[in-house]
Amino acid sequence: MKQSQMLIPTLREVPADADIKSHQLLLRAGFIRQVASGVYSFLPLGKKVLKKVEDIVREEMDKAGASEMLMPALQPSELWKESGRWYTYGPELMRMHDRHEREFALGATHEEVITGIVRDTVNSYKKLPLTLYQIQTKFRDEKRPRFGLLRGREFVMKDAYSFHDSFDSLDEAYDRMYEAYANIFRRCGLDFRAVIADSGAMGGKDTHEFMALSEVGEDTIAYSDQSNYAANVEMAPVVTEYAQSTEPMKELEKIETPNQKTMEEVAQYLGHSVDQGLKALMFKVDDKFVLVVTRGNHEVNDIKLKHLFDASVVELATEEDTKTLMGAGFGSLGPINPGKDVEVVADNAVKYLRNVSCGANEDGYHYINVNPERDFEATYADLRFIQEGDPSPDGQGKIQFARGIEVGHVFKLGKFYSDKMDASYLDQNGRSNSMIMGCYGIGVSRTVAAIVEQYHDDNGMTWPVQIAPYQVHLLALNMKNEEQKQLADELYTQLQKAGVEVLYDDRKERAGVKFADSDLFGIPLRITVGKRAGEGVVEVKERSNGNQQEVEKEEILQVVNQFLASE
Ligand code: 9G3
């Protein structure tokens, strides 16, 4: 394609609100353009890349036995009322009325729509298993869209759904999808980990997230330094064996600790390290109030708390509720004589401690010489976030942290939707059963940004060849010079005929502008027609490593094919 005929509005300056590389570079290189907060257009070069990722996804989905379809973004509220999610989702679910005042959701995901279709069209075990997928635009009204394509309000997702008459069949589909995802992200050139994840509000049990490693990722991965164990930090169980402290128990004492609020302040005031103090936080777990006790140096893992109570909503209680229940504010809470309507749970790391401190449930007072086995009742459980250095849950090595961008998520849904929406089938005994489901998502537009996060340098993007918008960037440095123009035109025609994807910079621009744009776009191989055009000699340069060589025009096709074959 000739650049003189394309729209590639490059920007000199980085937009103020773009504070990660992928957002900055995709905007500056004219690959995307913001229309509204969290809403982007894909301009020609960006669209080319998006399509490359989609085509890889399509190939692997088809290979995994899934059939592509396309569902509407406009979803009648009736379906979401059947699943109950019309009422459980808040402002994130974009809703609208049509001209007849009928209510619709703009599709954030398609469990309801696909279950509605399969319920009405599949009624026998003979028709199962069935895996369907689409690549489609999703709408989620994020409160704080940010990081460009990484967290948008309209984005491209591949979502697949599978239907089964047994959990074994679901396991098979799940494993095939898992494998397909690994192929997809490998072919996209991503450095990724599949991590054990939390199924969130989706119900179901097993789920894995595919995380592209990146410092700007919003998720934290806990992985073993000696095995391939990896989990979203929310899910990683703590398997540390705690030993009973052998320190003799001292007499419990109540100490005045005026204006000492934080764990650090109290520990310093009482002259002990933070991990010798108990932290007590009040949570609202569904409609119950729960005081969660951990060591001062640990953090409460609210996902583990949610699973402990099998709750739907877990949030910190307000200070007001806390004062009413406990007679004290946040900085003075403790498990000794808690409010009567408060359930006390404690992390396993607390159980065998001796002579620690905790809030006295009286503002400005703490207890010292607190001994859990003697001084308070609590239900013990694994309630803290795992920390770096903790033993890996698989018993091999120690846990390290990394940050990741969630680019894929696979779920075993079970009967969550088929029960609610009566998607049933007759088994071989003629009995009616709810179908068993799986669902599998890839953030396609998010994957584009994740690739840029892993493939860029100070001058711009450095696309892997299989994802790049074009394979070759052909620059004629001076289009007014007849020799250069002629040689460039000739090479352009020859490369296109050979099926090479060529972007031809035939603009009447200065060489410096052309080189800077070329570095920014990140097309893997650059051919520059310049001063030695008259001798039929051009320069070939690899974008990723800067290797360059002078090449006779007769050798060009062979050099290009050799490069493409080697990537
Ligand atoms: C909503 C809104 C946001 C949502 C959802 C629904 C996330 C929602 C989870 C999923 C699960 C799977 C199929 C593909 C793979 C992921 N955010 N999820 O269901 F209404 Cl506003 O989307 N869906």
Side-chain angles (χ1 to χ4, degrees), residues 28-275:
R28 275 194 49 217
F31 277 54
I32 63 172
R33 201 168 170 77
Q34 179 169 316
V35 172
S37 163
V39 182
Y40 292 87
S41 302
F42 279 86
L43 301 180
L45 292 185
K47 172 63 180 167
K48 279 267 182 189
V49 171
L50 186 68
K51 189 178 178 319
K52 290 274 175 89
V53 175
E54 288 176 357
D55 288 348
I56 289 172
V57 169
R58 225 171 237 116
E59 272 173 44
E60 294 298 331
M61 284 293 112
D62 294 349
K63 238 168 70 182
S67 311
E68 185 171 6
M69 63 184 292
L70 180 63
M71 286 178 268
L74 278 178
Q75 303 185 10
S77 61
E78 288 77 0
L79 286 170
W80 284 70
K81 289 176 180 171
E82 280 190 63
S83 72
R85 295 209 295 177
W86 183 260
Y87 310 105
T88 52
Y89 272 91
E92 194 190 351
L93 177 62
M94 300 188 86
R95 305 165 200 242
M96 57 169 284
H97 289 94
D98 68 8
R99 61 191 305 167
H100 308 295
E101 288 308 301
R102 282 193 286 258
E103 293 173 309
F104 285 81
L106 281 182
T109 181
H110 282 69
E111 281 81 3
E112 283 79 2
V113 176
I114 192 69
T115 305
I117 293 170
V118 172
R119 152 183 75 188
D120 298 345
T121 57
V122 174
N123 53 21
S124 160
Y125 73 98
K126 292 178 185 146
K127 299 270 183 55
L128 299 176
L130 183 62
T131 304
L132 299 158
Y133 78 93
Q134 64 174 351
I135 298 177
Q136 202 250 19
T137 301
K138 293 285 187 285
F139 300 86
R140 292 179 185 177
D141 200 356
E142 298 283 345
K143 196 168 183 177
R144 269 182 305 284
R146 62 181 194 146
F147 291 179
L149 300 181
L150 286 188
R151 184 166 288 280
R153 295 195 291 168
E154 176 176 339
F155 54 93
V156 179
M157 183 198 275
K158 183 285 299 175
D159 43 324
Y161 305 86
S162 65
F163 298 83
H164 309 272
D165 64 353
S166 75
F167 280 98
D168 287 351
S169 170
L170 167 61
D171 290 349
E172 269 168 41
Y174 187 90
D175 294 347
R176 270 220 302 280
M177 280 293 155
Y178 187 104
E179 194 51 46
Y181 277 42
N183 294 342
I184 288 164
F185 297 123
R186 199 177 310 115
R187 290 177 63 185
C188 286
L190 276 176
D191 180 12
F192 72 93
R193 297 289 184 284
V195 306
I196 298 161
D198 175 48
S199 57
M202 299 298 297
K205 46 188 180 57
D206 286 9
T207 95
H208 285 82
E209 282 164 343
F210 286 77
M211 297 284 193
L213 299 188
S214 160
E215 278 316 301
V216 301
E218 291 183 346
D219 293 271
T220 301
I221 303 159
Y223 67 94
S224 161
D225 59 5
Q226 284 180 23
S227 73
N228 60 11
Y229 175 88
N232 188 310
V233 71
E234 294 172 346
M235 289 305 289
V238 172
V239 296
T240 309
E241 302 282 327
Y242 301 104
Q244 171 65 57
S245 161
T246 53
E247 214 183 291
M249 283 197 266
K250 292 179 193 159
E251 200 57 37
L252 184 68
E253 217 184 310
K254 190 158 128 179
I255 303 271
E256 192 173 359
T257 49
N259 307 317
Q260 308 302 317
K261 291 278 178 203
T262 68
M263 292 307 300
E264 289 71 21
E265 287 168 345
V266 169
Q268 192 179 12
Y269 188 84
L270 296 173
H272 59 62
S273 58
V274 169
D275 64 354

